[in-house]
Amino acid sequence: MTNPPGPGNGEPPERGRPLRPAGPPNRGFPPRRQPPVPSESPTRHIPQPGRPQSTARDVPRPQQPGRPPGPPQQPPPPPVNRPPQQPGPAPNPRPQQPGPPPQPHEQLTTRISTPTPPPPPEATETGKRSFFANRTSLLLILLIVALVVIAVPVGAELYARHVASTKVANAVQCEVQDGASVSFSPVPPVLWQYLTKDYSDISVQTNGNQVRQAKGMKVNLDIRDIKLASGNNSQGTIGSLSGTISWSTDGIKQSIQDAIPGLGKFVSGNVTANPSDGTITIKGTFDSATVKPQIVNNGLSLQVVSLSALGSNMSTATVQKNLDDLTSKATQNYPLGIHADSVKVTSSGVEGAFSTRNATIPSGGGNQDPCLANL
């Protein structure tokens, strides 16, 4: 709200005029009215058309920033008698600049200081996950290292067993002309035996198909205290070797039929083992023969006990010679000094025991046994 302009006759505004002394009124001029006393009530906003209305009423206008307030206004000086002033030209009233639009009422707010919030739980969870992830990675690394430490000696043990068993099996297969399987004692490990070249116990078993020309013959060997050391025509020594040779009655019949054609008619029937008297009976259609297993020249031999050859000119000496050729090729001339120790007749055939002690393993060169060259 703006105050109306003062009088335009060049006189100063009434508020700034000095008060005239009391006396008779000026002649020729109407009496001047005294200005009203300013009201003590706060300034009110007068609504005007076309301007936005303020929602707050009777609220003091906020103080605008500007120049600092001047010194307090001095009271007007006492009135002085002066001649009456003549009216002059009216001064140009100074146009009043429009003020800024009224500001809406702003509620006073109070700033409350708040403490710093704790770190979010995600950071703690991330730290925990990172710790467990690192711990899991460390455990995985340790597990891998442990597996490698275990796998290396296990793999080396398996490799050593394979190499050693292959060499022994090949040597036995070369001698008996049949497949063989080899096993080692569980302790000490074969890897240790392989590195020290000192084998404590080796077991060998053939497939039982044949031993050289003797069909149905099977060999089981137990070899102990093998020490490998290269020397003069030697690859080492064997402390002891013991084994058994089993020859079934069906194998005896098939061997005689294949190796001795002239005696084929004698074994056209069954071959019977007689453990009570230690003999083997060979029967044909009209002929029969009885033989007894014995040890001859460190090998097995079938000695003819009786021969019944009806209508045949075969003598006992002829039959014995043919049987000796068969058994000598199958059970004599083994390497390492292996020889037959005993023989007996069982319900299934013939069984002989063989052995050797403190044998020298030949190198395989010259006229020695080539089957042992690769040990």
Side-chain angles (χ1 to χ4, degrees):
M1 177 179 177
T2 59
N3 294 327
N9 53 3
E11 296 181 0
E14 293 183 358
R15 288 192 181 181
R17 270 188 222 165
L19 298 178
R20 295 177 182 246
N26 296 331
R27 295 184 184 271
F29 293 95
R32 297 180 181 274
R33 293 189 299 174
Q34 298 295 330
V37 180
S39 175
E40 297 297 330
S41 61
T43 305
R44 297 174 180 262
H45 178 70
I46 301 176
Q48 297 181 4
R51 298 181 64 178
Q53 304 297 324
S54 175
T55 57
R57 299 182 62 183
D58 301 338
V59 177
R61 187 175 181 181
Q63 184 178 359
Q64 299 296 332
R67 294 177 297 178
Q73 187 177 4
Q74 300 294 332
V80 179
N81 293 330
R82 64 180 175 176
Q85 298 178 0
Q86 297 296 330
N92 295 328
R94 185 178 181 182
Q96 186 174 5
Q97 297 296 330
Q103 299 294 333
H105 175 66
E106 297 182 358
Q107 295 182 358
L108 298 178
T109 58
T110 303
R111 183 181 298 275
I112 301 175
S113 60
T114 57
T116 304
E122 287 77 6
T124 304
E125 294 295 331
T126 304
K128 290 182 179 179
R129 286 195 297 267
S130 176
F131 172 74
F132 285 112
N134 295 338
R135 187 175 181 182
T136 302
S137 301
L138 180 59
L139 291 177
L140 288 176
I141 293 174
L142 294 177
L143 179 60
I144 292 174
V145 172
L147 291 178
V148 171
V149 171
I150 296 175
V152 168
V154 169
E157 171 71 12
L158 295 177
Y159 175 76
R161 283 181 177 271
H162 173 72
V163 172
S165 62
T166 300
K167 289 181 176 294
V168 175
N170 290 339
V172 174
Q173 291 174 9
C174 179
E175 287 293 341
V176 302
Q177 299 177 11
D178 191 11
S181 59
V182 180
S183 60
F184 295 84
S185 60
V187 290
V190 177
L191 177 60
W192 177 257
Q193 300 181 62
Y194 182 79
L195 295 176
T196 59
K197 297 182 180 182
D198 187 357
Y199 296 86
S200 59
D201 187 7
I202 301 176
S203 298
V204 182
Q205 183 177 359
T206 63
N207 295 341
N209 297 319
Q210 65 185 27
V211 172
R212 298 173 179 175
Q213 296 180 354
K215 304 298 181 181
M217 189 175 285
K218 184 177 182 179
V219 177
N220 291 295
L221 298 176
D222 185 16
I223 309 172
R224 296 179 181 272
D225 299 331
I226 304 101
K227 299 182 184 299
L228 300 180
S230 299
N232 295 330
N233 298 325
S234 173
Q235 300 183 75
T237 59
I238 295 177
S240 65
L241 183 150
S242 59
T244 58
I245 292 180
S246 302
W247 197 6
S248 65
T249 55
D250 290 339
I252 294 173
K253 176 181 177 179
Q254 185 179 356
S255 299
I256 293 175
Q257 288 176 343
D258 295 343
I260 310 174
L263 294 179
K265 61 181 180 180
F266 285 96
V267 292
S268 59
N270 296 328
V271 175
T272 306
N274 305 306
S276 57
D277 57 2
T279 59
I280 302 292
T281 302
I282 303 173
K283 292 183 178 181
T285 305
F286 301 103
D287 304 319
S288 64
T290 302
V291 297
K292 186 172 184 177
Q294 293 181 355
I295 297 176
V296 177
N297 296 329
N298 295 325
L300 297 181
S301 175
L302 297 177
Q303 298 293 317
V304 177
V305 176
S306 63
L307 176 63
S308 174
L310 299 178
S312 175
N313 57 359
M314 293 188 67
S315 64
T316 302
T318 304
V319 173
Q320 185 65 56
K321 182 178 181 302
N322 292 331
L323 290 175
D324 290 343
D325 291 340
L326 171 64
T327 56
S328 62
K329 292 178 180 179
T331 62
Q332 294 180 11
N333 300 322
Y334 285 130
L336 305 176
I338 299 174
H339 56 276
D341 294 327
S342 62
V343 63
K344 63 180 180 179
V345 176
T346 64
S347 59
S348 59
V350 178
E351 182 177 303
F354 288 74
S355 67
T356 188
R357 295 286 185 278
N358 300 321
T360 300
I361 303 174
S363 60
N367 296 326
Q368 297 179 355
D369 194 337
C371 292
L372 302 180
N374 294 326
L375 282 179

